[in-house]
Amino acid sequence: MSGRGRDAIDAFLAMLAAERGAAANTIAAYRRDLEASDAVTGNIAAATREDMVRLAHEWRDLAPSSLARKSSALRQFFGFLVDEGWRDDDPSPALPKPKARRPLPRVLDHEEVGRLFVVAEEEAGEGRPEAVRMLALLELLYGSGLRATELVSLPLNAVPRDAPFLTITGKGGQQRMVPVSQRARAALSAWLRVRPHGGRFLFPSRDKHLGRVRLFQILRGLAGRAGLDPAKVSPHVLRHAFATHLLEGGADLRVLQTLLGHADIATTQIYTHVDAARLVALVNRRHPLANN
């Protein structure tokens, strides 16, 4: 990689971390895209419109979502270089502009979630630590809408003593408060009684915390025992169910944005599609002309 290209990439990523609070995974993804582009152009900081056309040709077989991500990374990068005076022109208009349609989230219905809890509660009742842990994890995924990483990395001192809230550190290091239901608090109390001693994480594993991959595995194992398709169940699907079912119950979209830790309300609005039937029924029931 060229020295100037490396310096420009490092400066851009430092800005993302310091000014925008970008998460480590986001920064790593941007670095991979920018370094790969630097390898093609020879010096991404000095790339021309012709170089952008070459990149577009290199990316011709990518999925629209991947193409959109790479183009977005470069557009932001060149915008930064212009703002900082590293260069006077922006070659990024020559990049492709794919319309990557955001997929709608998969959602479990109430009956499917209920089947997960029936099995989890029966198994936890047997007293095995792994089963007690599974119920606590399930309660926090569906009852509080936590991301997988947020859940597995919860410190032990995050468990509420009096206040029914957890303090979560989410993407970009942003903190938020999420409610913990009485059911979840009971499940957490049961887990703390059988949790191995030592360690600073709520869900320890060896000398660290339970891994995200392991969380996926045990959740899908639970799905199979509940008679559900394991491929249909994941931590993120339960987070979607949390959001969807709250909307069905009448939750405000702004409140939901806060609970989910979304920086932009547009991210939260993806859930509104699943609540269309309730909105139609509301209009038919409450509109002044509904009974005319």
Side-chain angles (χ1 to χ4, degrees), residues 101-264:
R101 186 174 68 86
R102 187 166 187 174
L104 297 176
R106 289 181 294 173
V107 177
L108 297 175
D109 61 30
H110 292 269
E111 189 269 339
E112 290 171 318
V113 172
R115 287 162 65 181
L116 289 175
F117 273 98
V118 166
V119 175
E121 289 168 352
E122 287 179 351
E123 294 179 348
E126 299 170 1
R128 291 181 295 108
E130 295 83 1
V132 176
R133 182 186 65 180
M134 181 71 261
L135 181 58
L137 291 167
L138 186 62
E139 288 282 2
L140 290 176
L141 284 170
Y142 178 67
S144 299
L146 301 189
R147 298 179 177 95
T149 299
E150 293 170 347
L151 176 58
V152 297
S153 62
L154 274 175
L156 183 59
N157 60 15
V159 179
R161 295 185 181 276
D162 299 315
F165 293 96
L166 286 174
T167 300
I168 302 298
T169 301
K171 288 186 175 180
Q174 299 297 312
Q175 288 195 330
R176 71 184 190 278
M177 302 288 286
V178 299
V180 180
S181 68
Q182 291 183 343
R183 287 172 51 107
R185 293 178 74 180
L188 283 172
S189 295
W191 165 238
L192 289 176
R193 288 194 292 270
V194 299
R195 174 187 175 275
H197 294 295
R200 65 185 185 90
F201 294 105
L202 178 57
F203 300 105
S205 178
R206 297 186 181 140
D207 58 347
K208 202 178 177 185
H209 58 67
L210 184 71
R212 291 177 70 253
V213 172
R214 182 59 184 147
L215 175 62
F216 273 75
Q217 291 171 341
I218 62 176
L219 185 58
R220 290 188 168 180
L222 174 67
R225 296 192 300 277
L228 302 178
D229 179 2
K232 188 178 179 180
V233 181
S234 72
H236 213 60
V237 167
L238 283 169
R239 177 173 157 89
H240 289 323
F242 163 82
T244 301
H245 297 167
L246 275 182
L247 272 180
E248 289 176 354
D252 179 82
L253 202 61
R254 286 289 180 184
V255 172
L256 190 59
Q257 177 190 4
T258 300
L259 293 176
L260 292 172
H262 288 160
D264 190 341

Side-chain angles (χ1 to χ4, degrees), residues 1 9 13 24-39 59 69-70 73-74:
M1 178 186 294
I9 291 171
L13 297 178
N25 288 344
T26 300
I27 292 174
Y30 274 55
R31 180 177 292 281
R32 287 193 297 271
D33 288 339
L34 292 170
E35 289 182 350
S37 299
D38 187 84
W59 299 342
R69 189 196 71 240
K70 288 177 178 291
L74 282 176

Side-chain angles (χ1 to χ4, degrees), residues 23-77:
N25 288 344
T26 300
I27 292 174
Y30 274 55
R31 180 177 292 281
R32 287 193 297 271
D33 288 339
L34 292 170
E35 289 182 350
S37 299
D38 187 84
V40 172
T41 61
N43 180 2
I44 192 62
T48 64
R49 289 178 62 89
E50 289 72 23
D51 290 324
M52 298 300 100
V53 173
R54 286 171 54 206
L55 283 173
H57 181 72
E58 290 281 334
W59 299 342
R60 63 189 182 279
D61 295 326
L62 293 177
S65 58
S66 297
L67 185 58
R69 189 196 71 240
K70 288 177 178 291
S71 294
S72 175
L74 282 176
R75 288 194 180 91
Q76 294 181 64
F77 174 68

